[in-house]
Amino acid sequence: MVRETHLSTDDFIYPLFVTFGKGVRKPISSMPGCFQESIDEAVKNAKEVYSLGIPSIILFGIPEHKDEFGTGAYDDNGVVQNAIKAIKDAVPDLYVITDVCMCEYTNHGHCGVVEKGEVENDKTLGLLAMESVSHAKAGADMVAPSDMMDGRVAAIRSALDENGYSDTPIMAYAAKYASGFYGPFREAAESTPQFGDRRSYQMDPANRREALREISLDIQEGADIVMVKPALSYLDIIADAKASFAIPLAAYNVSGEYSMVKAAEQLGWIDGKRVMLEILTSIRRAGADLILTYHAKEAAEILNG
Ligand code: PBG
């Protein structure tokens, strides 16, 4: 009766990694229980997610070919675009969000256009806008830019509006830190930068007030939901964001946070399920309305009883 925070399957967004081919379900070694899946397998997974009562998924694509400009990202026939169509066909009521970024599609692995060894913020905006429109055209319910280029929410908003997708909302990865916790994801999405790192566009983990500035810019540019990422080492940022802005708030319980729990569980050092629920509850307690988490299916099974 006096419990202050409740965890519900309604709060979860489950990430899926979609790849080319057929009948592919390749385990991601650093993320036990997660897979790179071809579209047919992703459809099966999406049905399972929906039947567990999880309302939403977020799609990441692993294209067959990568190139300098990440053309696979905005190809209307690309892996994510085809996955959206197949999933919306099979499970129309599952809410499909797409991650909008260049890093899975560029051969250098950076989140934007690279010139003379530098990531070019402004030259990237047009490509992110094209990628977003292409996802919306395929049937995505919401787009989620994760690149952290300045000005991309505004660029995406106007491109969606101009192309007849004014109803498609944007969930902005607004306060995204340059984090070591993304390690396992980069294996999953094959998106490790081939030189340098992401510190020129992602945030310094030491900064707290800067997060509020980043979030408020994204809201001004038209974001409908804002996100803090990672979650666990950034609960203070989640709490700050909740207190400062009256807008739905998401938190990304990222790959490294998931893998640490799985590894310690496999070693018999912690009670994995208990720790998982404690972590997810703490993210809600800090103020997140929505949680993107690889634990979603497991947690839903427990919450469903
Ligand atoms: C793409 C992107 C990343 C994640 C989500 N979108 C990786 C990165 O920025 O390097 C990380 C997700 C995770 O670690 O679970 N830009």
Side-chain angles (χ1 to χ4, degrees):
M1 272 168 71
V2 294
R3 177 170 284 174
E4 297 173 20
T5 306
H6 293 274
L7 195 59
S8 154
T9 52
D10 289 338
D11 312 325
F12 298 149
I13 298 169
Y14 186 65
L16 286 187
F17 298 98
V18 201
T19 190
F20 52 92
K22 232 181 141 49
V24 180
R25 194 155 192 263
K26 189 174 157 210
I28 299 159
S29 59
S30 55
M31 299 171 69
C34 296
F35 301 84
Q36 288 184 350
E37 297 175 309
S38 52
I39 292 173
D40 52 327
E41 293 291 329
V43 166
K44 286 189 217 161
N45 202 349
K47 284 183 184 160
E48 195 187 321
V49 169
Y50 187 70
S51 71
L52 284 165
I54 299 163
S56 178
I57 56 170
I58 181 162
L59 293 177
F60 294 93
I62 302 125
E64 193 161 10
H65 304 289
K66 299 179 190 251
D67 58 39
E68 196 184 339
F69 297 106
T71 51
Y74 38 89
D75 174 356
D76 285 347
N77 222 352
V79 64
V80 163
Q81 287 81 354
N82 286 330
I84 299 166
K85 288 178 216 155
I87 292 170
K88 286 306 289 185
D89 242 15
V91 213
D93 291 334
L94 182 66
Y95 195 80
V96 175
I97 306 169
T98 56
D99 182 87
V100 171
C101 195
M102 303 306 295
C103 65
E104 296 119 78
Y105 305 93
T106 51
N107 51 15
H108 45 69
H110 275 289
C111 303
V113 175
V114 170
E115 276 176 12
K116 300 194 192 103
E118 297 282 343
V119 178
E120 291 287 337
N121 188 96
D122 293 4
K123 290 186 178 155
T124 306
L125 300 181
L127 302 186
L128 295 167
M130 275 159 65
E131 182 177 2
S132 301
V133 170
S134 162
H135 290 174
K137 209 191 284 177
D141 294 303
M142 176 157 75
V143 294
S146 67
D147 50 280
M148 283 297 274
M149 299 299 134
D150 292 333
R152 90 276 205 218
V153 175
I156 291 170
R157 184 70 272 156
S158 57
L160 287 171
D161 292 352
E162 277 161 27
N163 286 278
Y165 300 104
S166 53
D167 286 346
T168 306
I170 300 173
M171 174 167 71
Y173 288 66
K176 178 174 179 182
Y177 286 87
S179 171
F181 286 100
Y182 307 149
F185 172 94
R186 294 190 185 161
E187 178 203 334
E190 300 177 11
S191 64
T192 308
Q194 298 304 302
F195 64 89
D197 54 43
R198 303 212 201 289
R199 281 178 230 219
S200 70
Y201 41 105
Q202 298 182 349
M203 287 177 53
D204 181 347
N207 287 3
R208 183 166 178 175
R209 293 188 306 156
E210 187 186 9
L212 295 181
R213 208 158 68 234
E214 287 283 0
I215 293 169
S216 99
L217 283 170
D218 281 4
I219 295 172
Q220 281 166 37
E221 289 179 30
D224 299 279
I225 300 177
V226 291
M227 193 200 298
V228 173
K229 178 186 174 187
L232 205 45
S233 291
Y234 299 86
L235 294 176
D236 54 336
I237 312 299
I238 297 172
D240 285 355
K242 182 67 164 201
S244 306
F245 305 104
I247 186 171
L249 179 63
Y252 203 138
N253 175 216
V254 300
S255 57
E257 299 171 14
Y258 173 83
S259 302
M260 290 195 303
V261 174
K262 290 289 160 196
E265 180 182 38
Q266 283 183 5
L267 286 165
W269 289 354
I270 57 168
D271 175 344
K273 291 201 178 352
R274 181 174 172 187
V275 167
M276 166 183 76
L277 291 175
E278 190 172 331
I279 288 173
L280 294 172
T281 302
S282 75
I283 297 169
R284 290 272 297 131
R285 193 194 62 229
D289 302 299
L290 303 166
I291 309 174
L292 294 91
T293 180
Y294 305 99
H295 289 297
K297 284 169 47 174
E298 249 183 301
E301 273 164 18
I302 296 174
L303 295 170
N304 294 338

